[in-house]
Each structure stands twice: as C-alpha cells, then as structure tokens.
Amino acid sequence: VYAEPYMAVHMGLKCSGCHVNPTGGGKRNEFGSIYGMTTLTQANVTEIWQGPKLNDYVSIGGDLRVNAVSNDIPNQDSTFVFETEEVLLYLEVQLLPDRLTFYVDQRLGPGGTSNREAYGLFWFRDKTLYAKAGRMFLPFGLRLEDDTAFVRQVSGINYNTPDDGVEVGVDYDRITVNLAITNGTAGGNETDTGKQYSLSAGYMEDNWRLGASYNYNDVEDQDRTMAALFGGLRTGKIHWLMEWDYIVDDVPPGDQLKQIAGIVEANAGFWKGTNIKLTYEFLDPDKNINEDERTRWSIVWEYFPIQFTQLSIGYRNNEGIPQNDQQN
C-alpha cells in the first residue's frame, strides 16, 4: 500500500524509519511492515505476518495498484477506463546484517518489466553514515507517491526517472544530508562526461520538519539547475506537507526557461484506518509569459480496512489557460 511523507510527519520519523532506502520509497523495513499491519489499518484479521521475511538475510515485498479513472475534458468525449497502474516486486538481501545490503526494486508491469532501483548499500558502524552505488531514486524534495504532481512532473525527479551513480548520506539524530552523483540520463545511456549532482538536507523535530534541495544536471548547452524548499507540520489530527521548486533550463542559443512549481497538502486522520487528503498545486511553466499559470486541487478519501489493503476515491480539478482544453 501507499507509504507517503505525511505518515513520517504523523509519526515524527525520517524516511529511513520505515524504508530500506534511507531516502524513502520502495520496500519497507521490519518496523515499517509492522506499522502497516497494526497502526495504519482499521482492523487486523490475522496475527502479525512475517511472510515477506524469508529468513534473517532475505526478505521480499511488492505492490499492486489498480485504478478506475473517469476524465471530463471540455469539448471532448468523457472517458472511463480501468487501468493497472503498476506491479512492483522488491528484494532485499542483507549480506552483512545492518551493514551491507543488496536491494532491487523491479517494475513487472504494465508494459513489460523495467528496473527502478538496484544498488548496494553500506552502513558504517554507528549507522549514521552510509554509501550506496547502483541505480537509485534521486534525493530531491518530497518523495510523494503521486508522480503526476507538478513538483514531480516538472522537476523530472520521480519514480519513473531513477539514475545510475553513487550516493552518500548522513542520518544523524534529527539531521539528514544526502548527496548523489549520477549520469543525469534518467537511467538511459550516457552520451557525454557531464554528471547530475543532487543534494538534499533536512532537519526535523517531533511536530515539524524543514528541508532544502539543490540539483544541477550538466548537459552540453542544455544545463538544468533546480532548487526546492520543503517541509512538514503536525497540528493535532492534521498533517501538512509543502514543497516549492524553482527550475532553470538553459535553452540554446543562450536563452533560459524558468519555471515554478508548488504543492500544499493536508492529511486528516480523524478515524483509525482512514485519511482525508486535500492538495493544492501551482505551476508557472514560463516566467517570461504572463497569465500562463496552471492550478489544480484534489480531495481523496483513503481507507485501510485490513493489512496490505488500501481503497481510495478522489476528485481532481484542473484549471489552466482557457484555450487549452487539456488543462481544464
């Protein structure tokens, strides 16, 4: 089921509190699995199940997400479609428990199989410093599950764009710092010597957290520079998330495209096993053009009836320039 940043804000934990990956996403660790089987769900139909843990060294996991989507676009026929969003399989092998891990995140469908992550992860003795190498999701902003969010789409850093390289990180007390150096090709073949540099840092207290990210992708005549501010806040039963991105693309011959994307999200968990999610998003696709901004808001009700199961129903409204039906 979905494990999202608002859950970390709710629990006062870092991403590494519930995930194998220190920067979040993918397979849950043992604590994350128990959280998903107890605290998250409305009811427990069995005892705590340790099935994904095959032994002390090998464990597996997975996700299946299926949607029914209705779209209403001006001047076009409405559509209603069933779709398999994704089928994922995770494998974790602890070659040296709590020190050296081999990890794979594989998309099995739809549309054929593809690798999302495959890396070796080494934790130093006090488990406050790590290094990993292989294919990985890049550290930048909030790791929202919704890849269609403006901050995920426009930045180009999401679950569909892992990259090959190395990453080092500090996970000390209330501070996290992550630095990745990768090819900058979103997993494709490298064609030059330029690299992508991703730096993210955050500080957290029990009820709030604040972070910043910087990304630079060195591509001949088409460099991209990005900066992000992000944070979370817990106010009683409501948990808030925010992210603001500023993106500059070099466009030959000597011009620049500047974009701004942002999101504010509120999650309300008034009853065990349920969550109400309300989001507002903003996108300015070109700072040099007036009145081309796009906004949208969404409301989603999420229900976790039993272990490993989530049911959701939601509504999203898009508003863009009047001439573009697809944006409205």
Side-chain angles (χ1 to χ4, degrees), residues 9 142 209-211 229-233 240-243:
V9 174
L142 296 171
R209 63 195 61 206
L210 187 64
L229 290 175
F230 57 93
L233 176 67
W240 301 85
L241 295 172
M242 61 77 62
E243 180 175 340

Side-chain angles (χ1 to χ4, degrees), residues 164-175:
D164 298 306
V166 296
E167 178 182 305
V168 294
V170 175
D171 192 346
Y172 178 73
D173 194 23
R174 300 180 182 276
I175 298 172

Side-chain angles (χ1 to χ4, degrees), residues 104-320:
V104 175
D105 177 340
Q106 190 76 14
R107 184 191 301 272
L108 302 182
T113 184
S114 61
N115 179 247
R116 301 204 315 171
E117 288 195 296
Y119 58 75
L121 171 66
F122 177 75
W123 284 99
F124 291 83
R125 182 167 299 176
D126 57 359
K127 212 166 184 182
T128 59
L129 178 66
Y130 74 85
K132 65 181 178 182
R135 174 165 295 189
M136 64 197 72
F137 303 134
L138 300 182
F140 186 86
L142 296 171
R143 188 150 291 170
L144 299 173
E145 184 62 47
D146 181 13
D147 272 350
T148 67
F150 287 148
V151 293
R152 300 281 279 171
Q153 277 188 326
V154 180
S155 69
I157 296 180
N158 51 58
Y159 288 114
N160 292 314
T161 58
D163 208 1
D164 298 306
V166 296
E167 178 182 305
V168 294
V170 175
D171 192 346
Y172 178 73
D173 194 23
R174 300 180 182 276
I175 298 172
T176 57
V177 181
N178 315 101
L179 171 64
I181 303 175
T182 59
N183 287 332
T185 60
N189 294 328
E190 180 62 286
T191 58
D192 56 28
T193 60
K195 292 292 176 278
Q196 185 171 24
Y197 303 88
S198 306
L199 175 65
S200 191
Y203 177 82
M204 60 168 286
E205 292 285 350
D206 290 340
N207 294 323
W208 62 272
R209 63 195 61 206
L210 187 64
S213 297
Y214 175 81
N215 179 279
Y216 175 70
N217 195 2
D218 181 7
V219 181
E220 185 176 358
D221 297 329
Q222 299 181 54
D223 295 349
R224 163 170 276 206
T225 305
M226 301 189 295
L229 290 175
F230 57 93
L233 176 67
R234 184 172 68 210
T235 55
K237 295 286 188 179
I238 301 178
H239 315 109
W240 301 85
L241 295 172
M242 61 77 62
E243 180 175 340
W244 178 88
D245 295 356
Y246 183 67
I247 302 165
V248 179
D249 290 304
D250 289 344
V251 181
D255 201 0
Q256 287 187 329
L257 171 65
K258 300 177 181 180
Q259 304 179 78
I260 294 176
I263 185 171
V264 177
E265 177 180 300
N267 292 271
F270 295 112
W271 304 279
K272 181 176 171 61
T274 65
N275 180 61
I276 299 173
K277 182 188 299 292
L278 182 65
T279 64
Y280 174 80
E281 298 180 72
F282 172 83
L283 172 64
D284 185 345
D286 191 338
K287 289 288 293 177
N288 294 323
I289 299 177
N290 294 324
E291 300 182 355
D292 64 340
E293 294 85 1
R294 296 175 58 186
T295 62
R296 66 185 179 196
W297 65 270
S298 310
I299 184 169
V300 181
W301 177 70
E302 302 172 332
Y303 177 45
F304 305 87
I306 59 174
Q307 296 101 312
F308 313 117
T309 305
Q310 176 186 346
L311 306 174
S312 304
I313 185 169
Y315 175 84
R316 169 170 283 174
N317 184 71
N318 294 270
E319 295 183 1

